[in-house]
Amino acid sequence: MIFTSALSRTSRLLLRPTLAPSASYLFAAASTNRRSYTMASALQSPLFTQQVVQAMRSLYPEELADRAWDNVGLLQENIEPSSATKVPSTVLLTNDLTVVVAEEAIRKKASVIITYHPFIFRGLKSVTLADPQQRILLQLAQNNIAVYSPHTAVDAAPGGMNDWLADMLNGHGVTTKRTVAQPISGVVPLGFGGAGYGRVIEFGHPVNLGRIVEAYAAGLGGLRYVMVATPKHDGVSPVPVRTVGVCAGSGYDVLKDSGADLFVTGEMTHHNALRLTMLGKSVITVFHTNSERRFLKERLQPQLQAVLREQDSSAQVLVSEEDADPFEIWDVENMPAWAYDRK
């Protein structure tokens, strides 16, 4: 569209008598335009990148994402080399695309990064080294690495992120029923019926809150600490739970009308948690990316690698070792030595 608009403006200028150029100039300009257009159209994405994008779309269709605010899909493309150089058949999975993760991808010779959270969310007015996000763009472009983000498509898909969280409550000798907290309205891709955001698990009989805390601490990688908000009680009687609403990340808006006794999510604001406890409900938060990251290793890595190896036996899908939650819990009586001023 921009290219056509530019040609239209040029054509209007050429029609002005006072600016009419010579025939030789017109021929030269037209030749240059044709040559530039031909060079641009010859660029294409590497076959492996195309295979990765298609595999992700088959597993977690972009149509399931909440496009009202989310930014999913191929966010940065790479280019098929003009020489005989082969693009590495390596994908790096990460929850967040940070500078250290970008540098890890370069070291490990990945040609595609799949970042659960989109690393481009708003428009850019410049691309400089001063901004970490823009620095990542420059580093990845220099090293010919593409970036794809599935985000809420993974949340909504049957068998995706939120079903994975719900699966952690299987067992306990209790029959459970599972429903979608916010079903997707409208048409969904064939085979993805029942897609939507958040899940609500209904137990056959009440389960103690402590058992649920243990299940999520273990399922999310052996967490030692979780944050819990409960209604005021005598401190002795267990808090019985019949229904649990789960949503990865920041899940209050998804779960607020679910009617669940217990909300399990990555993070929640003070006032939302306070409101829920005053309504007699409980909340478990585990930090935003703690509710998401382990899914990459347990579910997405084997799924994606199996699909890719049907087309490329050398394909490998790695999980970032640098990706980490920005928050830590510090024991004020045993803080790390580097936290003190050593002047």
Side-chain angles (χ1 to χ4, degrees), residues 276-291:
L276 291 175
T277 58
M278 288 190 294
L279 290 172
K281 302 176 185 301
S282 299
V283 178
I284 297 173
T285 64
V286 296
F287 286 155
H288 190 111
T289 60
N290 281 346
S291 68

Side-chain angles (χ1 to χ4, degrees), residues 88-160:
S89 301
T90 301
V91 179
L92 182 69
L93 303 181
T94 185
N95 197 270
D96 293 299
L97 180 47
T98 59
V99 171
V100 293
V101 171
E103 292 171 348
E104 178 186 14
I106 294 168
R107 287 196 311 272
K108 293 180 176 178
K109 301 187 185 307
S111 63
V112 182
I113 295 172
I114 293 178
T115 174
Y116 169 72
H117 287 139
F119 85 122
I120 299 175
F121 229 95
R122 297 174 180 84
L124 302 175
K125 293 186 176 181
S126 64
V127 181
T128 71
L129 294 174
D131 181 273
Q133 177 197 20
Q134 295 166 19
R135 174 182 164 183
I136 292 169
L137 280 165
L138 291 168
Q139 285 181 295
L140 297 184
Q142 184 180 43
N143 288 275
N144 203 29
I145 299 175
V147 181
Y148 183 89
S149 175
H151 203 202
T152 52
V154 172
D155 296 351

Side-chain angles (χ1 to χ4, degrees), residues 49-320:
T49 300
Q50 297 176 45
Q51 291 171 342
V52 171
V53 171
Q54 184 56 43
M56 286 300 298
R57 288 172 175 166
S58 69
L59 292 169
Y60 302 103
E62 292 168 18
E63 296 91 329
L64 301 181
D66 189 349
R67 293 278 193 177
W69 61 271
D70 203 3
N71 188 34
V72 302
L74 185 60
L75 303 186
Q76 179 163 329
E77 200 161 3
N78 56 351
I79 300 172
E80 181 70 53
S82 56
S83 65
T85 304
K86 184 181 183 300
V87 172
S89 301
T90 301
V91 179
L92 182 69
L93 303 181
T94 185
N95 197 270
D96 293 299
L97 180 47
T98 59
V99 171
V100 293
V101 171
E103 292 171 348
E104 178 186 14
I106 294 168
R107 287 196 311 272
K108 293 180 176 178
K109 301 187 185 307
S111 63
V112 182
I113 295 172
I114 293 178
T115 174
Y116 169 72
H117 287 139
F119 85 122
I120 299 175
F121 229 95
R122 297 174 180 84
L124 302 175
K125 293 186 176 181
S126 64
V127 181
T128 71
L129 294 174
D131 181 273
Q133 177 197 20
Q134 295 166 19
R135 174 182 164 183
I136 292 169
L137 280 165
L138 291 168
Q139 285 181 295
L140 297 184
Q142 184 180 43
N143 288 275
N144 203 29
I145 299 175
V147 181
Y148 183 89
S149 175
H151 203 202
T152 52
V154 172
D155 296 351
M161 183 81 75
N162 286 313
D163 274 321
W164 170 73
L165 286 172
D167 289 344
M168 294 178 193
L169 295 180
N170 291 342
H172 304 288
V174 181
T175 303
T176 63
K177 175 185 176 182
R178 186 180 307 184
T179 56
V180 175
Q182 282 189 5
I184 292 178
S185 58
V187 179
V188 298
L190 187 65
F192 289 85
Y197 310 108
R199 300 292 185 268
V200 179
I201 301 96
E202 182 180 349
F203 296 122
H205 60 73
V207 176
N208 289 344
L209 179 61
R211 298 299 183 191
I212 299 173
V213 171
E214 289 175 345
Y216 279 106
L220 295 172
L223 302 180
R224 184 174 177 184
Y225 301 101
V226 299
M227 296 179 68
V228 180
T230 62
K232 297 299 181 183
H233 57 84
D234 59 18
V236 177
S237 303
V239 180
V241 176
R242 282 191 176 273
T243 54
V244 182
V246 299
C247 184
S250 181
Y252 176 79
D253 286 338
V254 171
L255 300 173
K256 63 184 178 182
D257 298 321
S258 67
D261 299 326
L262 170 65
F263 286 39
V264 179
T265 188
E267 62 178 326
M268 187 177 294
T269 69
H270 167 84
H271 294 289
N272 288 337
L274 192 62
R275 175 180 179 274
L276 291 175
T277 58
M278 288 190 294
L279 290 172
K281 302 176 185 301
S282 299
V283 178
I284 297 173
T285 64
V286 296
F287 286 155
H288 190 111
T289 60
N290 281 346
S291 68
E292 303 161 341
R293 183 172 291 105
R294 196 171 175 86
F295 174 86
L296 304 180
K297 184 75 173 178
E298 291 192 355
R299 294 274 175 98
L300 184 53
Q301 182 186 35
Q303 284 178 332
L304 181 58
Q305 186 155 284
V307 174
L308 290 176
R309 286 191 174 175
E310 291 176 0
Q311 304 171 78
D312 183 344
S313 60
S314 66
Q316 61 174 344
V317 179
L318 309 176
V319 178
S320 173

